[in-house]
Amino acid sequence: MEIIVYFSKLFVPTTRQDPSEAELASHKLMIRSGMIKKTAAGIYNWLPIGLNVLKKVENIVRNNLNNYGAQEILMPMVQPAELWKESERYEQYGKELLKFQDRSQRDFVLGPTHEEIMCEIFRSYPISYKDLPINMYQIQTKFRDEIRPRFGVMRSREFLMKDAYSFDINEKGMENSYLNMKNAYISTFDEIGLDYRIVKADAGNIGGDVSEEFHIIADSGEDLLAISDSSEFAANVEVLEYNKDPSELDGSDSPDGNGKLQIKRGIEVGHIFQLGQKYSEKMSATIKDSTGTDINVFMGCYGIGVSRIVAAAIEQNHDEKGIIWPYSIAPFHVNVICLDPSKEEVIKECQSVYQILRDAGHDVILDDRDIRAGNKFTDNEILGIPYSIILGPRNYANNKYEFLSRATGEKQELNIDEIKQILEEKK
RNA sequence: CGGGGCAUAGCGCAGCCUGGUAGCGCACCUGGUUUGGGACCAGGUGGUCGCAGGUUCAAAUCCUGCUGCCCCGACCA
């Protein structure tokens, strides 16, 4: 028998008041719902509810990558400076790269990304072109010493990132790997279920010639996107060579000749790059082709900001009362709100409903706390659990349950089978 | 790194200008009354006032230095 998740046993420190430190809705709500707790600027703890959501995002990312043939590994966060000197990024990367020494004064860095380590792994084995393509990824805590961390986990210094690296014998292979990952990303973001766009991007610090970003559309986004209203064209305004104010772009002709540009704001949650031989040349990561010639391997790299997605999801899905989770990443799908837990027959009925829904494969929480109803309703709204079943002495005896949608506020009197059917469709 | 702001109980704040040894709301604990939308009454716990130094009989309050945090900008996935 499954152990019931009782609200009373979970550490969920919700608060009524907005924290003074937060500006953005997602930041405020993550603190108010007890998801995160700051330890230092840009450095956060993930409390039970927050971690629950983070893990859901992580698992969707993981499953989709696995489906597209990528293999999960785990690389060290602490990296020897040697490798970074070799790629010449030790100086180039700038102050975002946190450098430090160990007890015997050897230089190390805290990994902001892992191209160097990945090359080091690759070059140390005799790998044949016949073994390619290879694509490996990890989901790991990254550290970038941001000039100005802000907006909670949206732009933090320590954050959870999925980074994947592909290896191919030639450009054609690299392009295939890149497209494969792009498709994996599309499938991932489709599954998460947020409104997003793929845009042409500037490769920045990572390098390479071709790169695209995945943006979750939100008014609070830090990036400006130019999107054609009648074609596939979409680009981060950074890459558009206009010498004018971005606002003037709005309504101008799309560079591809189709339609007018619309300016939207986006939160960058994914970035894919064709690196080519940039790193493999500097770090001598070679491979023998069919003629026995050493070739610098063609790489691609692919990032997803896992923790940022959590914040972005809230940014796109909330109201004045709290979070409204998409079903795919909700910490729980259903909250069984027990209005009178001290009455044995009421709590028993709640447990029974819990068990039925749990057995049907839904994540359920039972709010058994001995507090006033209003407090439970309010916490439920802040937490943004998609559905709740309100069960009290007034209605436990009949076969109908009060079924409430967080998104619409709609209340229905339904029997358990009808509830199961609605939830089934959300899966 | 430039500009601005803040630091007083777990959270949100007042007190500072005009020095006299700390207060309000929420939360938390106890008792009672309540109980389907953030209850009420009574009582209670909790603070070296960010740190260091200085002025003074006396500093949360005035002065100097430092640290941390937030906002705008530049920078960046």
Side-chain angles (χ1 to χ4, degrees):
Chain A
M1 170 159 164
E2 191 108 24
I3 292 170
I4 294 179
V5 178
Y6 289 106
F7 204 127
S8 63
K9 304 264 166 52
L10 270 193
F11 184 65
V12 189
T14 58
T15 59
R16 293 185 193 191
Q17 284 168 311
D18 277 337
S20 63
E21 70 185 50
E23 202 84 351
L24 220 57
S26 62
H27 189 190
K28 287 178 183 170
L29 287 171
M30 286 183 83
I31 293 169
R32 287 193 52 204
S33 61
M35 293 176 68
I36 56 169
K37 159 85 185 132
K38 185 175 68 178
T39 281
I43 299 179
Y44 287 85
N45 301 285
W46 289 80
L47 303 181
I49 295 285
L51 185 62
N52 200 334
V53 176
L54 190 66
K55 291 283 179 192
K56 292 223 170 171
V57 175
E58 187 182 319
N59 280 329
I60 292 174
V61 168
R62 174 178 290 117
N63 290 337
N64 280 284
L65 284 171
N66 290 346
N67 286 344
Y68 280 80
Q71 307 171 54
E72 186 167 8
I73 61 172
L74 187 57
M75 291 181 265
M77 190 181 177
V78 173
Q79 309 179 12
E82 282 310 305
L83 292 173
W84 284 76
K85 287 174 181 167
E86 209 179 322
S87 72
E88 292 171 15
R89 283 207 294 183
Y90 192 66
E91 303 303 333
Q92 244 172 48
Y93 205 93
K95 286 190 172 172
E96 276 189 42
L97 182 64
L98 184 65
K99 303 167 179 173
F100 63 99
Q101 296 188 322
D102 69 2
R103 64 203 298 166
S104 36
Q105 283 77 56
R106 290 190 198 91
D107 292 326
F108 284 88
V109 306
L110 219 43
T113 176
H114 281 65
E115 284 80 11
E116 283 80 0
I117 294 270
M118 203 63 242
C119 278
E120 216 283 314
I121 293 173
F122 192 86
R123 71 184 177 184
S124 63
Y125 297 102
I127 299 172
S128 157
Y129 73 96
K130 295 175 192 165
D131 299 322
L132 302 186
I134 292 175
N135 186 324
M136 292 192 272
Y137 74 96
Q138 64 173 347
I139 298 173
Q140 190 217 34
T141 299
K142 293 280 187 288
F143 192 91
R144 295 182 187 175
D145 201 356
E146 286 283 333
I147 295 172
R148 182 144 95 87
R150 59 185 126 175
F151 306 143
V153 300
M154 189 76 85
R155 176 174 294 284
S156 51
R157 294 194 289 171
E158 196 179 290
F159 60 101
L160 191 66
M161 181 174 176
K162 184 285 301 176
D163 47 322
Y165 304 86
S166 69
F167 298 89
D168 284 278
I169 186 65
N170 54 31
E171 205 150 322
K172 183 88 182 92
M174 174 179 74
E175 285 165 15
N176 284 339
S177 291
Y178 179 89
L179 271 180
N180 185 50
M181 272 300 102
K182 184 173 174 178
N183 287 330
Y185 274 39
I186 289 169
S187 149
T188 300
F189 287 109
D190 283 349
E191 183 173 342
I192 293 171
L194 298 172
D195 180 19
Y196 72 95
R197 293 287 188 290
I198 304 169
V199 305
K200 290 184 175 39
D202 177 23
N205 239 339
I206 307 292
D209 300 326
V210 179
S211 92
E212 289 168 289
E213 292 168 341
F214 286 68
H215 281 263
I216 288 172
I217 302 300
D219 293 339
S220 58
E222 292 187 82
D223 288 302
L224 287 174
L225 313 177
I227 298 167
S228 167
D229 60 6
S230 54
S231 76
E232 287 293 294
F233 182 86
N236 193 315
V237 297
E238 287 170 1
V239 304
L240 295 179
E241 311 234 334
Y242 285 98
N243 288 324
K244 46 179 161 178
D245 193 83
S247 60
E248 292 176 41
L249 281 173
D250 198 61
S252 65
D253 291 332
S254 175
D256 69 350
N258 292 312
K260 303 279 187 194
L261 290 180
Q262 286 186 308
I263 300 298
K264 293 195 175 198
R265 287 188 165 272
I267 299 165
E268 183 190 349
V269 289
H271 201 158
I272 55 180
F273 304 81
Q274 291 180 21
L275 296 173
Q277 296 166 303
K278 175 178 172 184
Y279 292 91
S280 60
E281 275 168 7
K282 288 219 164 83
M283 301 194 64
S284 311
T286 63
I287 189 166
K288 287 204 193 315
D289 69 9
S290 54
T291 68
T293 313
D294 280 331
I295 305 280
N296 288 117
V297 73
F298 285 76
M299 293 176 65
C301 77
Y302 317 93
I304 289 182
V306 177
S307 42
R308 183 180 279 183
I309 288 175
V310 176
I314 297 172
E315 214 49 54
Q316 205 175 77
N317 298 282
H318 70 273
D319 61 17
E320 63 290 341
K321 292 174 180 169
I323 302 167
I324 304 172
W325 287 113
Y327 200 81
S328 60
I329 60 172
F332 297 97
H333 300 134
V334 186
N335 185 5
V336 178
I337 300 176
C338 185
L339 288 184
D340 197 346
S342 60
K343 274 211 176 60
E344 177 131 3
E345 58 273 26
V346 180
I347 189 77
K348 277 227 163 90
E349 187 70 15
C350 289
Q351 289 164 339
S352 151
V353 167
Y354 181 103
Q355 216 59 252
I356 291 168
L357 297 179
R358 181 65 235 184
D359 291 345
H362 305 287
D363 291 335
V364 192
I365 184 168
L366 204 174
D367 194 345
D368 61 325
R369 292 175 300 168
D370 187 21
I371 57 174
R372 302 179 75 82
N375 286 286
K376 296 187 208 188
F377 296 143
T378 309
D379 274 350
N380 184 61
E381 282 159 355
I382 294 172
L383 286 169
I385 299 171
Y387 296 101
S388 46
I389 293 171
I390 300 163
L391 219 157
R394 200 190 282 177
N395 65 1
Y396 76 93
N398 67 34
N399 286 324
K400 298 269 188 177
Y401 301 99
E402 193 172 320
F403 187 72
L404 174 66
S405 160
R406 173 65 181 86
T408 66
E410 188 191 6
K411 273 185 191 173
Q412 294 172 274
E413 295 288 326
L414 301 174
N415 66 38
I416 195 72
D417 288 326
E418 292 167 325
I419 289 172
K420 276 169 75 174
Q421 200 179 333
I422 289 175
L423 295 176
E424 198 58 36
E425 286 163 13
K426 288 288 167 185
K427 262 189 181 172

